[in-house]
């Protein structure tokens, strides 16, 4: 019976050692996976940032070219203020 107990203890120790080795291997593999994941995430963020900056620059250039082709469209309020200003200037009423 002592031999059976000793064998059980030895088997349990072997299983525990194997479990510890698997646990260590899994943790190191998982850490490596997470490092690779973080590295790739940083690369993707960098690429997306560059792409967004390029798209913004293209949009700004397009908008600038579209706006430079058209004369400005003044608001009704501004046109009314300018009309009043010219009318008062013709009347030489500079106080208002």
């Amino acid at each position: 019976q002592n031999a059976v107990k000793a064998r059980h203890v030895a088997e349990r120790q072997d299983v525990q050692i194997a479990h510890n080795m698997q646990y260590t291997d899994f943790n190191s593999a998982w850490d490596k996976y997470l490092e690779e994941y973080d590295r790739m995430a940083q690369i993707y963020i960098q690429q997306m940032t560059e792409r967004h900056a390029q798209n913004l620059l293209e949009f700004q250039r397009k908008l600038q070219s579209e706006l430079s082709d058209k004369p400005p469209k003044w608001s009704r309020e501004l046109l009314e203020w300018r009309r009043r200003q010219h009318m008062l200037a013709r009347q030489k009423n500079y106080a208002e």
Side-chain angles (χ1 to χ4, degrees):
Q1 194 164 4
N2 282 342
V4 172
K5 265 189 177 179
R7 192 174 47 169
H8 283 292
V9 169
E11 283 179 9
R12 187 173 2 152
Q13 286 177 343
D14 289 344
V15 168
Q16 185 66 35
I17 290 171
H19 171 72
N20 288 342
M21 287 175 50
Q22 285 180 340
Y23 178 76
T24 303
D25 290 345
F26 173 79
N27 278 341
S28 64
W30 185 255
D31 289 343
K32 184 189 282 186
Y33 170 79
L34 285 180
E35 287 174 11
E36 180 68 15
Y37 180 85
D38 288 340
R39 188 180 69 77
M40 291 304 294
Q42 289 301 318
I43 290 172
Y44 293 146
I45 289 170
Q46 179 67 28
Q47 289 173 347
M48 190 63 69
T49 303
E50 290 171 2
R51 190 177 324 151
H52 285 173
Q54 183 64 32
N55 288 346
L56 177 62
L57 188 61
E58 289 173 10
F59 175 75
Q60 288 173 334
R61 287 180 180 156
K62 179 183 170 192
L63 185 64
Q64 184 64 34
S65 69
E66 287 176 3
L67 291 179
S68 65
D69 293 343
K70 297 179 183 179
K73 185 172 181 177
W74 308 114
S75 69
R76 185 175 299 161
E77 185 180 3
L78 176 66
L79 295 173
E80 182 61 29
W81 277 105
R82 285 188 179 171
R83 187 185 66 74
R84 284 187 208 151
Q85 185 181 23
H86 289 300
M87 188 174 67
L88 291 172
R90 273 190 255 125
Q91 295 173 359
K92 297 186 182 190
N93 187 356
Y94 302 114
E96 289 188 42

